[in-house]
Amino acid sequence: MAEIEENKVRGIISAINGPVIKGTNMTTFKMREMVMVGKNRLIGEVIVLEGDVGTIQVYEETEGLKTGEEITPTGRPLSLKLGPGMLKNMFDGIQRPLEKIQEISPIFIPEGIGLLSIDEEKLWDVTITAKPGDVLLAGSIFGSVQETKVIENRLLVPPNISGTVIEVSANGSYTIIDTLVKIQDGKNEIHELKMAHDWPVRTPRPSAYRRETLVPLITGQRVIDIFFPIAKGGTAAIPGGFGTGKTMTQHQLAKWSDADIIVYIGCGERGNEMTEVIEDFPKLIDPRSGESIMERTVLIANTSNMPVAAREASIYTGITIAEYYRDMGYAVAMMADSTSRWAEALREISGRLEEMPAEEGYPAYLPSRIAEFYERAGSVETLGGDDGSITIIGAVSPAGGDFSEPVTENTKRFVNVFLALDKSLAYGRHYPAINWLESYSGYIKILSDWYEDNVAEDCIDLRNKMLELLYEENKLQEMVMLVGEDVLPDDQRWVLEIAKIIKVGYLQQNAYNKDDTYVPLEKQYAMLKSIEYLYEKGRSGLKLGIPTSQLKDADIFGQFIKMKYTIPNDDLSGIDRLKDTIDTYYDALFKKYEN
Amino acid sequence: MKRDYLKIDKVVGPLIQVSDVDDVFYGEVVDIVENSTGNVKKGKVIKIDGKNVVIQVFQNTAGLAAGNSTIKFTGEAFNLPMSLDLQGRIFNGIGEPIDSGSDIFSMVEANINGRPINPMAREYPRNFIQTGISSIDTLATLIRGQKLPIFSGNGLPHNELAAQIVRQAQLGDDVDEAFGVVFAAIGVKHDDEKFFRKSFDEANVMDRVVMFVNYADDPIAERITTPRCALTAAEYLAFEKNMHILVVMTDITSYCEALREISSAREEVPSRKGYPGYMYSDLASLYERAGMLHDRKGSITFLPILTMPNDDITHPIADLTGYITEGQIVLGRDLFQRSIYPPVAVLPSLSRLMKDGIGEGFTREDHAEVANQLFASYSRVQEVRDLSQIIGEEDLSQTDKKFMTFGRAFEAEFLNQGFDESRNIIESLDLGWKLLALLPLAELDRLTPEMIEKYLPQDE
């Protein structure tokens, strides 16, 4: 695909150190240019230029490379081919389809397979909406293709081109490299518009302007949707030591979030996890579209044993694909698992460049790279005038589970939602192990109107009240550890009992249960409201001098703990019945005490 | 025609530097021939800078001098001959036989560094392996194709546990599915290596074991290649010869120490505790070689053992391993001191692949619930014990007292089992139910009524 001009000046490899190589005779090379290295034509990118010496990071295994071999320029930066054919597919860190690689080499990923990208032979049924004489602005839509059952790919004029339509092909079947429309720009230059266009990964795609983020990303996960909501177009980080369920949480979000498009990046993580996604996702049905969730998903995989330089690129590949779908007017959610591996890739490359390290060997530019990445999220008006958004949810794998390490610390500065995973919760098999004391969402205020209008008037107040109760429980637990529970006064013991229901019956959510894996907001609210109802009933009882032991009815408490399983998602009448049960029991109890 | 080089510019630890070199490739294997004796040491090109080349020598560099050796570049990458004859043999860390047998001859050679498995080619591991150890089978189930490390500490019986797993593991459902063991000893004591060899003999598997041994007093550069040679053999047997291979590797800590030593000799920028910044990727290039494939019958199940320095699970070696592997089996010193064998610390132990390999059709329908309930209850036991430290066991509530009883019984009957005792999964699950019956019914909140009805023993 990359046409290499034969007469271009080539560099000569002079030094090799793992994924970093140096070449001489490179004065005509450009910074960040994509190059082909050696006789196997490994793909690389120029990262430093100094005199006629260039430093290149290579995206493939460099074993076997010799000094004296050639470095061939491609004349363009590391770019993606953006067009239909990305959904339902899995790519490596530089957008090479893993399925196609498998055709070349059935088991292992060899080096030197060259640049591959989305399928250029597949025929798509194209509807072209542009007419001769129309003026097409940059980023506007000139046609459409049904990319998958649920997603229509809106064909975009590349963001750097505009002009008047002079020629239009008839609707019909085309490949992504066929010319569909010709436009003439202000300088009388003619541009061919195809289904796909190239875009450099390190350049954010432009949009008209940023909007406020006012709508939550509904995930179906109670602890997130009610307690720590993420806004569409917002940013969130999920830090946690190993075994705390980062990947599990990311998978749940990828499966159930109400985004139009999911871009999932497995960055330096386990191969089996990506295999699991490929096996599981096609079987799961999106509750909104009724089709498999794979129909809206793009997967990027650079597993931990794949070349480290491509890991650094994978994050940019993912976000560029996300921006492409955003520009069509879709709400995109991107999961990056894990951003720490990306930061470590930066560190490794930086180390090989012998740069002066800052904290823990990470380069000094780590914070600015993290900031640049998260700032590519946002809710925007696209160049074409539509609403589009990108939500970024990044997992962080802090070394030793210590949140004070540089990647977690710096990520915290640039994200608005922090979902701290907790080892002790995970040990107690409390999943998702999101610690309610350490986590926060910066979107509560701006989303509160939405919750009031769409869920319930008192939704946010209820959330605050229950969270306070959990804080109080935490303080009481410290006391219990010192003196035992029996010594506490009854009202405090009642707080402990209710907190237990919130923790076990509400915050814990079972990803393997077919009802509990995704819970609609309405039920999330109703469940919490009923817990509050029980809490207030008990408090009335306390005022009558009824001890907690009497207030705690094993049967009612059992029903609360199990209500996530026993009350179906589409029929909440069980919650009303539960309230009736409470009324009957407590009214009888109160009568006894009043007399 | 390759030139020989007669001058060594610099020797630093396991590294030598040679200048004015042409036409070598990154990763090329080098023979260093001592002129007076003809002894050959092997090395590998790890850095090329213009005409200067840095070579990592796998043997001891003692005795090398500027002009006493000839350096020959072989023009080959680090390849090993692969054959079924590897089985029953013992090799050193660079794949040379150290038993009395002959060299391996084969047309098939494989690069010891391997190449990453395409995630599309992988098959998600789902087959349960019964180890016969209650704590592992029930609570951190081993799955065929999984990488599940044992996090241990110095002096803990990790070797015994690994040997017991090798002896008791039922790898194949069918008898005709071949299985074998690849054992890599990295920087181990001679005693430990003897112990394993004896256990393999006793288990009658010695003719199906491929051993790669690098002793504690062997050169450290060879520790880098030992696991790679072993995994290359495993890949060959599993994916070319359709065998189910269990790879046991000890001790990953020695491997990482070697990595750090070489990194420091290369004057690289260190990250945590002086370990190189690429240690995660480097460990991943080992661990990720485990797995199963769609169109191959064989599998690689990987059981690396590491000793956590100072029993610290947040130490970089344990930490990075935990991030790559699919769970971990953690051994606890407090259990060991109370003579509980195997001292599996249940709460931090985890098998990530367990969820898809247990339950109906694999083990038994109640497995997930029982495991969950045992975890939750045992986790509660820890809290109650903390409390009883302060207020005394006498003052605990009735419920808490029952948890104390459950905790003791769980450790003495469930965790504790003999070195030669193999319990099948049904026995282990039933034992779990028996112990759960010690708790009040109201506390069994992870069990569904149907399962309680069916499996909970009535009365004491």
Side-chain angles (χ1 to χ4, degrees):
Chain A
M1 52 167 281
E3 312 84 32
I4 297 143
E5 293 161 44
E6 284 309 315
N7 53 2
K8 273 222 163 170
V9 178
R10 292 161 192 230
I12 306 293
I13 300 175
S14 64
I16 307 161
N17 182 9
V20 174
I21 67 154
K22 280 186 180 171
T24 52
N25 196 29
M26 288 182 62
T27 33
T28 56
F29 285 65
K30 291 191 283 279
M31 182 66 176
R32 292 286 173 197
E33 180 171 350
M34 182 165 46
V35 295
M36 307 284 199
V37 178
K39 59 175 194 296
N40 272 339
R41 302 177 86 76
L42 309 179
I43 297 162
E45 185 183 8
V46 179
I47 51 172
V48 178
L49 281 173
E50 202 179 341
D52 76 332
V53 178
T55 306
I56 295 163
Q57 61 175 355
V58 182
Y59 294 124
E60 299 180 72
E61 173 60 52
T62 51
E63 192 184 89
L65 216 54
K66 276 182 182 173
T67 52
E69 289 185 343
E70 283 185 343
I71 303 165
T72 317
T74 64
R76 59 200 180 95
L78 178 68
S79 306
L80 305 183
K81 196 168 266 308
L82 298 171
M86 290 195 284
L87 293 169
K88 293 169 77 171
N89 267 322
M90 179 152 77
F91 301 91
D92 76 353
I94 50 175
Q95 207 208 7
R96 300 187 299 184
L98 287 169
E99 207 170 355
K100 223 182 260 176
I101 293 178
Q102 209 188 353
E103 286 167 19
I104 298 168
S105 164
I107 303 177
F108 300 104
I109 301 179
E111 57 271 6
I113 42 178
L115 261 188
L116 305 166
S117 182
I118 46 176
D119 197 334
E120 295 183 355
E121 282 157 24
K122 183 170 178 173
L123 288 168
W124 298 91
D125 275 330
V126 184
T127 311
I128 298 169
T129 49
K131 308 256 172 332
D134 286 359
V135 174
L136 289 180
L137 296 175
S140 58
I141 292 163
F142 66 89
S144 66
V145 167
Q146 197 65 35
E147 185 173 350
T148 67
K149 279 182 203 152
V150 297
I151 298 297
E152 176 194 70
N153 188 303
R154 297 163 190 156
L155 305 178
L156 298 171
V157 179
N160 42 11
I161 294 175
S162 61
T164 314
V165 177
I166 53 170
E167 207 179 305
V168 174
S169 304
N171 292 347
S173 292
Y174 297 95
T175 68
I176 57 162
I177 47 173
D178 291 330
T179 301
L180 304 173
V181 173
K182 284 186 182 165
I183 60 174
Q184 192 169 27
D185 67 11
K187 293 176 192 152
N188 287 332
E189 238 177 89
I190 294 177
H191 301 276
E192 298 179 341
L193 301 183
K194 303 168 182 180
M195 260 178 266
H197 63 268
D198 289 350
W199 190 263
V201 292
R202 295 186 198 276
T203 313
R205 287 173 65 92
S207 53
Y209 64 90
R210 271 177 186 263
R211 294 177 185 281
E212 254 191 304
T213 48
L214 296 170
V215 181
L217 180 80
I218 304 300
T219 64
Q221 312 302 309
R222 287 183 292 263
V223 62
I224 296 176
D225 288 352
I226 294 287
F227 283 95
F228 308 106
I230 304 168
K232 272 195 181 132
T235 48
I238 308 181
F242 66 81
T244 52
K246 284 182 302 297
T247 302
M248 195 62 217
T249 311
Q250 288 279 41
H251 280 192
Q252 282 298 97
L253 295 177
K255 285 172 185 171
W256 306 118
S257 291
D258 71 338
D260 302 315
I261 305 279
I262 301 288
V263 178
Y264 192 95
I265 310 171
C267 177
E269 292 289 305
R270 304 174 183 90
N272 275 333
E273 284 170 1
M274 295 314 289
T275 309
E276 185 183 10
V277 171
I278 303 168
E279 288 188 11
D280 276 6
F281 278 29
K283 291 181 224 150
L284 291 168
I285 302 300
D286 182 351
R288 291 168 311 129
S289 70
E291 294 289 342
S292 144
I293 56 170
M294 203 60 202
E295 301 284 322
R296 56 160 196 179
T297 308
V298 183
L299 302 170
I300 314 277
N302 175 284
T303 57
S304 54
N305 54 342
M306 279 153 87
V308 71
R311 188 167 313 156
E312 192 267 337
S314 67
I315 290 282
Y316 295 101
T317 299
I319 190 79
T320 306
I321 292 174
E323 284 173 344
Y324 169 67
Y325 284 102
R326 174 202 67 189
D327 289 349
M328 294 178 202
Y330 288 118
V332 184
M334 178 175 135
M335 287 87 201
D337 182 20
S338 150
T339 59
S340 293
R341 305 301 163 220
W342 165 67
E344 283 165 12
L346 280 180
R347 174 169 72 183
E348 183 168 343
I349 303 286
S350 163
R352 303 230 189 219
L353 294 176
E354 297 175 3
E355 292 172 337
M356 179 72 86
E359 250 179 301
E360 291 194 15
Y362 286 104
Y365 47 77
L366 175 74
S368 60
R369 292 285 169 87
I370 292 177
E372 277 166 26
F373 165 64
Y374 281 105
E375 280 300 296
R376 285 174 83 168
S379 185
V380 302
E381 182 174 311
T382 66
L383 292 178
D386 290 314
D387 287 339
S389 67
I390 297 178
T391 314
I392 299 183
I393 300 156
V396 183
S397 318
D402 171 14
F403 288 179
S404 68
E405 58 91 42
V407 182
T408 317
E409 269 299 313
N410 286 306
T411 301
K412 224 172 168 176
R413 289 166 57 207
F414 304 113
V415 298
N416 278 319
V417 180
F418 190 74
L419 302 169
L421 298 181
D422 186 306
K423 202 162 227 171
S424 59
L425 289 177
Y427 282 1
R429 297 323 187 243
H430 173 119
Y431 290 121
I434 295 172
N435 182 313
W436 49 91
L437 302 171
E438 272 183 85
S439 303
Y440 56 80
S441 165
Y443 296 116
I444 288 290
K445 260 216 166 69
I446 53 171
L447 292 178
S448 61
D449 285 348
W450 189 93
Y451 277 90
E452 275 167 28
D453 296 345
N454 294 281
V455 186
E457 196 70 34
D458 67 338
C459 187
I460 296 293
D461 292 339
L462 176 66
R463 172 239 183 222
N464 292 343
K465 182 173 173 184
M466 291 295 123
L467 204 52
E468 244 168 72
L469 194 143
L470 288 170
Y471 285 135
E472 195 183 339
E473 185 248 8
N474 181 53
K475 267 186 271 163
L476 294 175
Q477 284 296 356
E478 283 168 21
M479 207 127 71
V480 169
M481 287 320 290
L482 290 177
V483 294
E485 196 179 323
D486 296 348
V487 197
L488 292 185
D490 269 318
D491 60 334
Q492 293 187 343
R493 292 182 68 180
W494 184 241
V495 168
L496 293 182
E497 295 297 344
I498 296 297
K500 190 177 171 200
I501 291 186
I502 301 178
K503 287 193 285 183
V504 181
Y506 196 80
L507 295 175
Q508 282 183 23
Q509 193 163 343
N510 187 343
Y512 302 115
N513 179 284
K514 68 173 175 34
D515 278 320
D516 207 34
T517 185
Y518 169 87
V519 181
L521 255 187
E522 201 190 353
K523 181 178 167 190
Q524 295 188 24
Y525 169 77
M527 283 172 73
L528 196 59
K529 189 76 191 161
S530 67
I531 296 173
E532 187 208 19
Y533 191 74
L534 176 69
Y535 173 59
E536 290 300 338
K537 270 283 170 194
R539 299 221 316 167
S540 321
L542 290 167
K543 280 187 196 126
L544 294 172
I546 308 175
T548 306
S549 53
Q550 287 285 307
L551 291 170
K552 185 186 169 185
D553 178 66
D555 176 52
I556 289 180
F557 271 58
Q559 286 192 46
F560 266 94
I561 298 286
K562 299 230 154 85
M563 86 178 139
K564 55 183 160 191
Y565 304 129
T566 52
I567 294 168
N569 286 339
D570 52 4
D571 177 13
L572 302 183
S573 57
I575 289 186
D576 296 327
R577 282 198 297 279
L578 188 53
K579 279 186 184 160
D580 292 342
T581 316
I582 295 173
D583 284 339
T584 321
Y585 175 80
Y586 286 101
D587 288 350
L589 185 68
F590 293 174
K591 270 217 180 81
K592 223 161 63 188
Y593 272 81
E594 274 159 4
N595 297 332
Chain B
M1 184 55 206
K2 287 265 182 184
R3 279 164 57 194
D4 291 347
Y5 296 85
L6 296 171
K7 184 166 173 277
I8 297 170
D9 289 9
K10 195 167 149 188
V11 184
V12 184
L15 307 181
I16 62 172
Q17 194 174 322
V18 183
S19 60
D20 213 19
V21 179
D22 282 317
D23 200 33
V24 297
F25 66 80
Y26 185 71
E28 185 165 340
V29 171
V30 182
D31 286 336
I32 301 141
V33 186
E34 211 173 318
N35 294 336
S36 54
T37 61
N39 281 345
V40 182
K41 297 185 197 311
K42 271 193 178 315
K44 188 180 113 172
V45 175
I46 56 164
K47 188 175 177 183
I48 307 175
D49 192 357
K51 288 183 177 295
N52 293 324
V53 168
V54 179
I55 297 163
Q56 174 180 313
V57 184
F58 298 124
Q59 282 90 344
N60 203 333
T61 48
L64 286 182
N68 73 350
S69 303
T70 309
I71 294 157
K72 296 170 184 286
F73 292 90
T74 61
E76 305 269 331
F78 204 133
N79 292 328
L80 277 191
M82 287 293 137
S83 144
L84 280 175
D85 297 339
L86 290 169
Q87 295 183 89
R89 300 292 307 276
I90 304 172
F91 305 90
N92 67 9
I94 52 173
E96 298 167 342
I98 51 171
D99 52 8
S100 47
S102 63
D103 284 355
I104 300 289
F105 292 102
S106 169
M107 298 301 285
V108 186
E109 291 211 332
N111 185 319
I112 63 157
N113 288 325
R115 285 294 176 266
I117 298 176
N118 189 331
M120 297 291 285
R122 281 184 190 271
E123 176 156 332
Y124 192 73
R126 286 206 163 79
N127 290 349
F128 156 73
I129 295 177
Q130 182 172 297
T131 65
I133 296 163
S134 292
S135 48
I136 295 176
D137 286 349
T138 314
L139 302 170
T141 315
L142 181 63
I143 304 291
R144 191 189 290 172
Q146 183 173 22
K147 38 192 180 292
L148 189 65
I150 299 174
F151 284 13
S152 185
N154 291 312
L156 297 182
H158 43 265
N159 291 343
E160 285 81 351
L161 179 60
Q164 188 173 4
I165 292 174
V166 168
R167 213 171 48 232
Q168 297 180 352
Q170 295 183 358
L171 272 166
D173 307 330
D174 316 310
V175 247
D176 48 316
E177 282 191 56
F179 96 93
V181 176
V182 172
F183 176 75
I186 310 164
V188 297
K189 292 174 283 204
H190 288 260
D191 294 349
D192 290 344
E193 188 264 341
K194 288 238 154 49
F195 168 79
F196 274 106
R197 213 189 294 193
K198 193 167 143 244
S199 325
F200 295 148
D201 262 335
E202 282 168 2
N204 238 343
V205 292
M206 197 55 210
D207 55 343
R208 281 174 301 179
V209 178
V210 191
M211 286 182 87
F212 292 87
V213 181
N214 163 275
Y215 293 107
D217 51 358
D218 282 342
I220 56 126
E222 202 185 282
R223 288 179 196 162
I224 306 299
T225 52
T226 311
R228 294 188 162 79
C229 290
L231 287 161
T232 307
E235 274 173 2
Y236 172 80
L237 296 172
F239 302 144
E240 301 297 327
K241 296 296 163 199
N242 294 321
M243 293 177 71
H244 295 295
I245 299 295
L246 182 65
V247 179
V248 179
M249 203 172 272
T250 182
D251 174 345
I252 297 295
T253 307
S254 307
Y255 173 81
C256 294
E257 302 288 340
L259 210 58
R260 176 166 69 176
E261 194 172 330
I262 290 167
S263 169
S264 137
R266 294 178 72 174
E267 299 175 0
E268 290 170 334
V269 177
S271 92
R272 274 179 81 209
K273 297 208 172 173
Y275 292 95
Y278 50 79
M279 193 156 88
Y280 177 82
S281 308
D282 191 281
L283 285 172
S285 73
L286 303 181
Y287 297 142
E288 279 288 325
R289 289 171 84 170
M292 294 185 80
L293 301 172
H294 279 307
D295 50 0
R296 294 289 194 281
K297 264 180 151 170
S299 63
I300 299 178
T301 309
F302 192 2
L303 215 60
I305 299 168
L306 60 89
T307 44
M308 299 181 282
N310 203 17
D311 291 353
D312 177 11
I313 199 168
T314 67
H315 185 282
I317 298 172
D319 192 48
L320 296 180
T321 296
Y323 274 122
I324 307 163
T325 53
E326 284 138 354
Q328 64 276 336
I329 294 168
V330 183
L331 302 189
R333 194 165 296 276
D334 59 324
L335 291 169
F336 173 68
Q337 281 161 346
R338 282 186 280 140
S339 305
I340 290 163
Y341 172 87
V344 174
V346 165
L347 297 179
S349 297
L350 165 78
S351 162
R352 289 164 190 273
L353 299 184
M354 155 177 187
K355 60 186 176 12
D356 296 302
I358 61 168
E360 223 173 335
F362 297 102
T363 54
R364 201 169 73 181
E365 51 177 348
D366 56 325
H367 189 156
E369 285 183 25
V370 172
N372 238 324
Q373 186 63 59
L374 287 172
F375 273 124
S377 303
Y378 191 59
S379 164
R380 173 81 183 274
V381 168
Q382 307 303 319
E383 286 168 28
V384 174
R385 279 184 183 162
D386 289 346
L387 184 59
S388 80
Q389 293 283 324
I390 296 158
I391 62 172
E393 197 170 337
E394 285 307 301
D395 289 340
L396 290 176
S397 69
Q398 282 308 315
T399 309
D400 285 353
K401 277 181 185 152
K402 284 190 173 155
F403 272 101
M404 293 293 278
T405 316
F406 165 78
R408 276 190 282 265
F410 179 77
E411 285 164 0
E413 294 173 39
F414 192 85
L415 296 186
N416 198 23
Q417 83 184 70
F419 180 60
D420 296 312
E421 183 186 358
S422 179
R423 299 182 193 146
N424 70 34
I425 181 66
I426 302 300
E427 288 168 341
S428 294
L429 288 174
D430 287 344
L431 184 55
W433 278 105
K434 191 183 129 203
L435 296 168
L436 288 173
L438 297 170
L439 294 171
L441 198 56
E443 297 296 330
L444 303 180
D445 53 8
R446 310 286 172 110
L447 301 173
T448 54
E450 303 87 73
M451 292 297 143
I452 291 178
E453 172 91 10
K454 197 161 164 189
Y455 293 105
L456 193 70
Q458 301 302 312
D459 299 321
E460 271 82 80

